[in-house]
Amino acid sequence: MSSATPEDGATAATSVSKQLGMRRNGKQWHEPRKAFRPASGLTSFEKRAKDRVAQALVKAKEKELKDEKESERQRRITALKEKRVAKEEKERYEKMAEKMHKKRVERLKRKEKRNKLINS
């Protein structure tokens, strides 16, 4: 027993020398605590890296689908706008036809189309 006592005293001296100064709360007899991190060390780096790669692939696919959906939406919108413009133009020519001769309206249509091609 007497031989075990000096060893215990040596370990107690090393634990005291490990501490860096006084503890803030003044309880020097308690062991210093470590941060509570329950999930640390549960997943390996390789698994996390694989998960990141898989997540990146999923995000890329989602972005591709979203872009495809948006382009389809834009295509429908432009088709609708073009249809409306054509309808308005047709109505305008019909109003002109009521007032003028048919041949003159046809000439004006051709002239306007030439101007559109030149200006655009």
Side-chain angles (χ1 to χ4, degrees):
M1 280 191 161
S2 63
S3 63
T5 342
E7 290 174 13
D8 291 338
T11 55
T14 56
S15 68
V16 171
S17 64
K18 261 195 232 175
Q19 291 182 355
L20 304 171
M22 294 286 284
R23 286 175 58 108
R24 185 158 182 230
N25 61 5
K27 298 180 181 178
Q28 294 83 350
W29 58 90
H30 285 293
E31 286 294 314
R33 303 182 88 179
K34 292 183 180 176
F36 179 66
R37 293 189 180 101
S40 68
L42 294 182
T43 58
S44 65
F45 177 75
E46 291 83 17
K47 187 173 185 307
R48 288 195 308 265
K50 284 179 185 175
D51 289 345
R52 281 192 199 111
V53 169
Q55 195 73 327
L57 288 173
V58 167
K59 276 195 171 189
K61 184 67 173 174
E62 285 177 351
K63 183 173 171 34
E64 180 185 331
L65 291 172
K66 198 179 280 187
D67 290 344
E68 191 176 306
K69 189 176 180 181
E70 179 64 22
S71 66
E72 177 65 24
R73 183 178 155 274
Q74 290 297 328
R75 190 190 60 75
R76 273 189 273 127
I77 287 172
T78 54
L80 192 68
K81 284 182 180 178
E82 288 172 359
K83 193 175 176 183
R84 284 181 184 158
V85 167
K87 185 179 177 185
E88 287 174 3
E89 197 169 318
K90 186 178 178 186
E91 287 175 357
R92 190 169 65 89
Y93 285 133
E94 284 176 1
K95 273 189 179 180
M96 286 171 63
E98 288 174 6
K99 297 176 187 174
M100 317 177 192
H101 292 291
K102 188 176 177 181
K103 283 189 175 181
R104 184 164 183 211
V105 172
E106 294 298 321
R107 275 200 316 270
L108 287 172
K109 271 189 193 178
R110 286 195 302 270
K111 186 177 179 184
E112 285 181 5
K113 284 184 182 173
R114 279 196 302 269
N115 288 340
K116 279 183 189 173
L117 291 174
I118 291 170
N119 292 334
S120 62

